[in-house]
Coordinates of all heavy atoms in Angstrom, one line a residue:
M80 N 119.6 -8.8 115.0 CA 120.6 -7.9 114.5 C 120.5 -7.8 113.0 O 120.2 -8.7 112.3 CB 121.9 -8.3 115.0 CG 122.2 -8.1 116.4 SD 123.8 -8.7 117.0 CE 124.9 -7.5 116.2
S81 N 120.8 -6.6 112.5 CA 120.8 -6.4 111.1 C 122.1 -5.6 110.7 O 122.1 -4.5 111.1 CB 119.6 -5.6 110.6 OG 119.5 -5.4 109.2
E82 N 122.9 -6.3 110.0 CA 124.2 -5.6 109.6 C 125.0 -5.0 110.8 O 125.4 -3.9 110.7 CB 123.9 -4.7 108.5 CG 123.4 -5.2 107.2 CD 123.1 -4.2 106.1 OE1 123.6 -3.1 106.2 OE2 122.4 -4.6 105.3
G83 N 124.9 -5.7 111.9 CA 125.7 -5.2 113.1 C 124.9 -4.3 114.0 O 125.4 -3.8 115.0
E84 N 123.6 -3.9 113.6 CA 122.8 -3.0 114.5 C 121.7 -3.7 115.1 O 121.1 -4.5 114.4 CB 122.3 -1.8 113.5 CG 123.4 -0.9 113.0 CD 122.7 0.3 112.3 OE1 121.7 0.7 112.7 OE2 123.4 0.7 111.3
L85 N 121.4 -3.4 116.3 CA 120.3 -4.0 117.0 C 119.0 -3.2 116.6 O 119.0 -1.9 116.6 CB 120.5 -3.9 118.5 CG 121.5 -4.8 119.1 CD1 121.7 -4.5 120.6 CD2 121.2 -6.3 118.9
L86 N 118.0 -3.9 116.2 CA 116.8 -3.3 115.9 C 115.7 -3.6 116.9 O 115.6 -4.7 117.4 CB 116.3 -3.8 114.5 CG 117.2 -3.6 113.4 CD1 116.7 -4.3 112.1 CD2 117.4 -2.2 113.1
T87 N 114.9 -2.6 117.3 CA 113.8 -2.8 118.2 C 112.5 -2.3 117.5 O 112.5 -1.2 117.0 CB 114.0 -1.9 119.5 OG1 115.2 -2.3 120.1 CG2 112.9 -2.1 120.5
T88 N 111.5 -3.3 117.5 CA 110.2 -3.0 116.9 C 109.2 -3.2 117.8 O 109.3 -4.0 118.8 CB 110.0 -3.8 115.6 OG1 109.9 -5.2 116.0 CG2 111.1 -3.6 114.6
D89 N 108.0 -2.6 117.6 CA 106.8 -2.8 118.4 C 105.8 -3.7 117.6 O 104.8 -3.3 117.2 CB 106.1 -1.4 118.7 CG 105.0 -1.6 119.7 OD1 104.8 -2.7 120.3 OD2 104.2 -0.6 119.9
G90 N 106.3 -5.0 117.4 CA 105.5 -5.9 116.7 C 105.8 -5.9 115.2 O 106.4 -5.0 114.8
P91 N 105.3 -6.7 114.4 CA 104.5 -8.0 114.8 C 105.6 -8.9 115.6 O 106.8 -8.7 115.5 CB 104.1 -8.6 113.6 CG 105.2 -8.1 112.4 CD 105.5 -6.8 113.0
F92 N 105.1 -9.8 116.3 CA 105.8 -10.8 117.1 C 106.6 -11.8 116.1 O 106.2 -11.9 115.0 CB 105.0 -11.5 118.1 CG 104.4 -10.5 119.1 CD1 103.0 -10.3 119.1 CD2 105.2 -9.9 119.9 CE1 102.4 -9.4 120.0 CE2 104.6 -9.0 120.8 CZ 103.2 -8.7 120.8
A93 N 107.6 -12.3 116.7 CA 108.4 -13.3 115.9 C 107.5 -14.5 115.4 O 106.7 -14.9 116.1 CB 109.6 -13.8 116.7
E94 N 107.9 -15.0 114.2 CA 107.2 -16.1 113.7 C 107.7 -17.4 114.5 O 108.7 -17.4 115.1 CB 107.5 -16.2 112.2 CG 107.0 -15.1 111.4 CD 107.3 -15.4 110.0 OE1 107.4 -16.5 109.5 OE2 107.4 -14.4 109.2
S95 N 106.8 -18.4 114.5 CA 107.1 -19.6 115.3 C 108.5 -20.2 114.8 O 109.3 -20.6 115.6 CB 106.0 -20.7 115.0 OG 104.8 -20.3 115.6
K96 N 108.8 -20.2 113.5 CA 110.1 -20.7 113.1 C 111.3 -19.9 113.6 O 112.4 -20.5 113.7 CB 110.1 -20.8 111.5 CG 110.2 -19.4 110.8 CD 110.2 -19.5 109.4 CE 110.1 -18.2 108.8 NZ 111.2 -17.7 108.2
D97 N 111.0 -18.7 114.0 CA 112.1 -17.9 114.5 C 112.1 -17.9 116.1 O 113.1 -17.4 116.7 CB 112.0 -16.4 114.2 CG 112.1 -16.2 112.6 OD1 112.9 -17.0 112.1 OD2 111.5 -15.3 112.1
H98 N 111.2 -18.6 116.7 CA 111.0 -18.6 118.1 C 110.8 -19.9 118.8 O 109.8 -20.3 119.3 CB 109.8 -17.7 118.5 CG 109.7 -17.3 119.9 ND1 110.4 -16.3 120.4 CD2 108.9 -17.7 120.8 CE1 110.2 -16.0 121.6 NE2 109.3 -16.9 122.0
L99 N 111.9 -20.8 118.6 CA 111.7 -22.2 119.1 C 112.8 -22.5 120.2 O 112.8 -23.6 120.6 CB 112.0 -23.1 117.9 CG 110.9 -23.1 116.8 CD1 111.2 -24.0 115.7 CD2 109.5 -23.4 117.4
G100 N 113.6 -21.5 120.6 CA 114.6 -21.8 121.5 C 114.3 -21.7 123.1 O 115.2 -21.8 123.8
G101 N 113.1 -21.5 123.4 CA 112.8 -21.4 124.8 C 112.5 -20.0 125.2 O 112.1 -19.2 124.4
F102 N 112.7 -19.6 126.5 CA 112.3 -18.3 126.9 C 113.1 -17.9 128.2 O 113.7 -18.8 128.8 CB 110.8 -18.2 127.2 CG 110.3 -19.1 128.2 CD1 110.3 -18.8 129.6 CD2 109.9 -20.4 127.9 CE1 109.9 -19.7 130.6 CE2 109.4 -21.3 128.9 CZ 109.4 -20.9 130.2
Y103 N 113.1 -16.7 128.4 CA 113.8 -16.1 129.7 C 112.7 -15.4 130.5 O 111.9 -14.8 129.9 CB 114.9 -15.1 129.3 CG 115.9 -15.5 128.3 CD1 115.7 -15.5 126.9 CD2 117.1 -16.1 128.8 CE1 116.7 -15.9 126.0 CE2 118.1 -16.4 127.9 CZ 117.9 -16.3 126.5 OH 118.8 -16.8 125.6
I104 N 112.9 -15.5 131.8 CA 112.0 -14.7 132.7 C 113.0 -13.9 133.4 O 113.9 -14.4 134.1 CB 111.2 -15.6 133.6 CG1 110.3 -16.5 132.8 CG2 110.5 -14.8 134.6 CD1 109.5 -17.5 133.7
I105 N 112.8 -12.6 133.3 CA 113.6 -11.6 134.1 C 112.7 -10.6 134.8 O 111.5 -10.5 134.5 CB 114.5 -10.8 133.2 CG1 113.7 -9.9 132.2 CG2 115.5 -11.6 132.4 CD1 114.6 -8.8 131.6
E106 N 113.2 -10.1 135.9 CA 112.5 -9.1 136.6 C 113.2 -7.7 136.3 O 114.3 -7.5 136.5 CB 112.6 -9.2 138.1 CG 111.7 -8.3 138.9 CD 111.6 -8.6 140.3 OE1 112.0 -9.8 140.8 OE2 111.2 -7.8 141.1
A107 N 112.4 -6.8 135.7 CA 112.9 -5.4 135.2 C 112.1 -4.4 135.9 O 110.9 -4.5 136.1 CB 113.0 -5.3 133.8
A108 N 112.7 -3.2 136.1 CA 112.0 -2.1 136.7 C 110.9 -1.6 135.8 O 109.9 -1.2 136.4 CB 113.0 -0.9 137.0
D109 N 111.1 -1.6 134.5 CA 110.1 -1.1 133.5 C 110.4 -1.7 132.1 O 111.3 -2.5 132.0 CB 110.1 0.4 133.5 CG 111.5 1.0 133.2 OD1 112.3 0.4 132.6 OD2 111.7 2.1 133.7
L110 N 109.6 -1.3 131.1 CA 109.8 -1.9 129.9 C 111.1 -1.5 129.2 O 111.7 -2.2 128.6 CB 108.6 -1.3 129.0 CG 108.7 -1.7 127.4 CD1 108.6 -3.3 127.4 CD2 107.6 -1.1 126.7
D111 N 111.6 -0.2 129.5 CA 112.8 0.2 129.0 C 114.0 -0.7 129.4 O 114.9 -1.1 128.7 CB 113.1 1.7 129.3 CG 112.3 2.6 128.5 OD1 111.8 2.3 127.4 OD2 112.1 3.7 129.1
A112 N 113.9 -1.1 130.7 CA 115.0 -1.9 131.3 C 114.8 -3.3 130.7 O 115.8 -4.0 130.4 CB 114.9 -2.0 132.8
A113 N 113.7 -3.8 130.5 CA 113.4 -5.1 129.9 C 114.0 -5.2 128.4 O 114.6 -6.1 128.0 CB 112.0 -5.6 129.9
L114 N 113.7 -4.1 127.7 CA 114.2 -4.0 126.3 C 115.7 -3.9 126.3 O 116.4 -4.4 125.3 CB 113.6 -2.8 125.6 CG 112.1 -2.9 125.4 CD1 111.6 -1.6 124.8 CD2 111.7 -4.0 124.4
A115 N 116.3 -3.3 127.3 CA 117.8 -3.2 127.3 C 118.4 -4.6 127.5 O 119.4 -5.0 126.8 CB 118.3 -2.3 128.5
W116 N 117.8 -5.5 128.4 CA 118.2 -6.8 128.6 C 118.0 -7.7 127.2 O 118.8 -8.5 126.9 CB 117.5 -7.4 129.8 CG 118.2 -7.1 131.0 CD1 117.7 -6.3 132.0 CD2 119.5 -7.6 131.5 NE1 118.6 -6.2 133.0 CE2 119.7 -7.0 132.7 CE3 120.4 -8.5 131.0 CZ2 120.9 -7.2 133.5 CZ3 121.6 -8.8 131.7 CH2 121.8 -8.1 132.9
A117 N 116.9 -7.5 126.6 CA 116.6 -8.2 125.4 C 117.6 -7.8 124.4 O 118.1 -8.7 123.6 CB 115.2 -7.8 124.9
S118 N 118.0 -6.6 124.3 CA 119.1 -6.2 123.3 C 120.4 -6.9 123.6 O 121.1 -7.3 122.7 CB 119.3 -4.6 123.4 OG 118.1 -4.0 122.9
K119 N 120.8 -7.0 124.9 CA 122.0 -7.7 125.3 C 122.0 -9.1 124.9 O 122.9 -9.7 124.4 CB 122.3 -7.5 126.7 CG 122.6 -6.1 127.2 CD 122.7 -6.1 128.8 CE 122.9 -4.6 129.2 NZ 122.9 -4.5 130.6
V120 N 120.8 -9.8 125.1 CA 120.7 -11.2 124.8 C 120.7 -11.4 123.3 O 121.3 -12.3 122.8 CB 119.4 -11.8 125.4 CG1 119.1 -13.2 124.9 CG2 119.4 -11.9 126.9
T121 N 120.0 -10.6 122.6 CA 120.0 -10.6 121.1 C 121.4 -10.5 120.5 O 121.8 -11.2 119.6 CB 119.1 -9.6 120.5 OG1 117.8 -9.7 120.9 CG2 119.1 -9.5 119.0
A122 N 122.2 -9.5 121.1 CA 123.6 -9.4 120.6 C 124.5 -10.7 120.9 O 125.3 -10.9 120.1 CB 124.1 -8.2 121.3
A123 N 124.0 -11.3 122.0 CA 124.9 -12.5 122.4 C 124.6 -13.7 121.6 O 125.4 -14.5 121.3 CB 124.8 -12.8 123.8
I124 N 123.2 -13.9 121.3 CA 122.9 -15.2 120.7 C 122.4 -15.0 119.2 O 122.1 -16.0 118.6 CB 121.8 -15.9 121.5 CG1 120.5 -15.0 121.4 CG2 122.2 -16.2 122.9 CD1 119.2 -15.7 122.0
H125 N 122.4 -13.8 118.7 CA 122.0 -13.4 117.3 C 120.7 -14.0 116.9 O 120.5 -14.7 115.9 CB 123.1 -14.0 116.4 CG 124.5 -13.5 116.7 ND1 124.8 -12.2 116.5 CD2 125.6 -14.1 117.4 CE1 126.0 -12.0 116.9 NE2 126.6 -13.1 117.4
T126 N 119.7 -13.9 117.8 CA 118.4 -14.5 117.6 C 117.3 -13.4 118.0 O 117.6 -12.8 119.2 CB 118.2 -15.7 118.3 OG1 119.2 -16.7 117.9 CG2 116.8 -16.4 118.1
P127 N 116.3 -13.2 117.5 CA 115.2 -12.3 117.9 C 114.7 -12.7 119.3 O 114.6 -13.8 119.6 CB 114.1 -12.3 116.9 CG 114.7 -13.0 115.7 CD 115.8 -13.9 116.2
I128 N 114.4 -11.6 120.1 CA 113.9 -11.8 121.4 C 112.5 -11.0 121.5 O 112.4 -9.9 121.1 CB 114.8 -11.2 122.6 CG1 116.1 -12.0 122.5 CG2 114.2 -11.2 123.9 CD1 116.1 -13.3 122.9
E129 N 111.4 -11.6 122.0 CA 110.2 -11.0 122.3 C 110.2 -10.6 123.7 O 110.6 -11.3 124.6 CB 109.0 -11.9 122.0 CG 108.6 -12.1 120.6 CD 107.4 -12.8 120.4 OE1 106.5 -12.9 121.4 OE2 107.3 -13.5 119.4
V130 N 109.6 -9.4 124.0 CA 109.4 -9.0 125.4 C 107.9 -8.8 125.7 O 107.3 -8.1 124.9 CB 110.1 -7.5 125.6 CG1 109.9 -7.1 127.0 CG2 111.7 -7.8 125.3
R131 N 107.5 -9.5 126.7 CA 106.0 -9.5 127.0 C 106.0 -9.4 128.6 O 106.8 -10.0 129.3 CB 105.3 -10.7 126.5 CG 105.2 -10.7 125.0 CD 104.3 -11.9 124.7 NE 104.4 -12.0 123.2 CZ 103.4 -12.6 122.5 NH1 102.4 -13.1 123.3 NH2 103.4 -12.7 121.3
P132 N 105.0 -8.6 129.1 CA 104.9 -8.6 130.6 C 104.2 -10.0 131.0 O 103.6 -10.6 130.3 CB 103.8 -7.5 130.8 CG 103.1 -7.4 129.5 CD 104.1 -7.8 128.4
F133 N 104.5 -10.3 132.3 CA 104.0 -11.5 133.0 C 102.8 -11.0 133.8 O 102.9 -10.1 134.6 CB 105.0 -12.0 133.8 CG 105.5 -13.5 133.5 CD1 105.6 -13.9 132.3 CD2 105.7 -14.4 134.5 CE1 105.9 -15.2 131.9 CE2 106.1 -15.6 134.3 CZ 106.2 -16.1 133.0
A134 N 101.7 -11.7 133.6 CA 100.4 -11.4 134.4 C 100.6 -11.7 135.9 O 101.2 -12.8 136.1 CB 99.2 -12.1 133.8
G135 N 100.3 -10.9 136.8 CA 100.5 -11.3 138.2 C 101.8 -11.0 138.8 O 102.0 -11.1 140.0
I136 N 102.7 -10.4 138.1 CA 104.0 -9.9 138.6 C 103.9 -8.5 138.9 O 103.4 -7.7 138.1 CB 105.1 -10.3 137.6 CG1 105.2 -11.8 137.2 CG2 106.4 -9.8 138.1 CD1 105.5 -12.7 138.3
A137 N 104.4 -8.1 140.1 CA 104.4 -6.7 140.4 C 105.0 -5.9 139.4 O 106.1 -6.1 138.9 CB 105.1 -6.5 141.8
G138 N 104.4 -4.8 139.0 CA 105.0 -3.8 138.0 C 104.6 -4.2 136.6 O 104.9 -3.5 135.6
A139 N 104.0 -5.3 136.4 CA 103.5 -5.9 135.0 C 102.2 -5.2 134.6 O 101.4 -4.9 135.4 CB 103.4 -7.3 134.9

């Protein structure tokens, strides 16, 4: 979040120091749905979220 606004970018990925809290695995219909969930989590925890597809999962 930046000054109360959620920002979505297409890379670069979060630096290691910003990405140490674990991960979430969700099943989403498409990338837009996954990004919507990531926005909700970011708003709740005030931490950047990376969204990446899982190999071997249907729809990925």
Side-chain angles (χ1 to χ4, degrees):
M80 289 182 64
S81 178
E82 298 178 18
E84 291 185 35
L85 291 173
L86 302 174
T87 303
T88 63
D89 188 13
F92 297 111
E94 296 181 30
S95 295
K96 64 183 177 102
D97 296 328
H98 194 77
L99 296 175
F102 58 92
Y103 303 88
I104 298 175
I105 64 164
E106 186 174 346
D109 55 26
L110 180 60
D111 289 334
L114 292 173
W116 277 107
S118 294
K119 292 175 186 179
V120 172
T121 298
I124 66 173
H125 306 286
T126 302
I128 299 291
E129 279 185 31
V130 176
R131 296 186 182 202
F133 240 40
I136 302 295

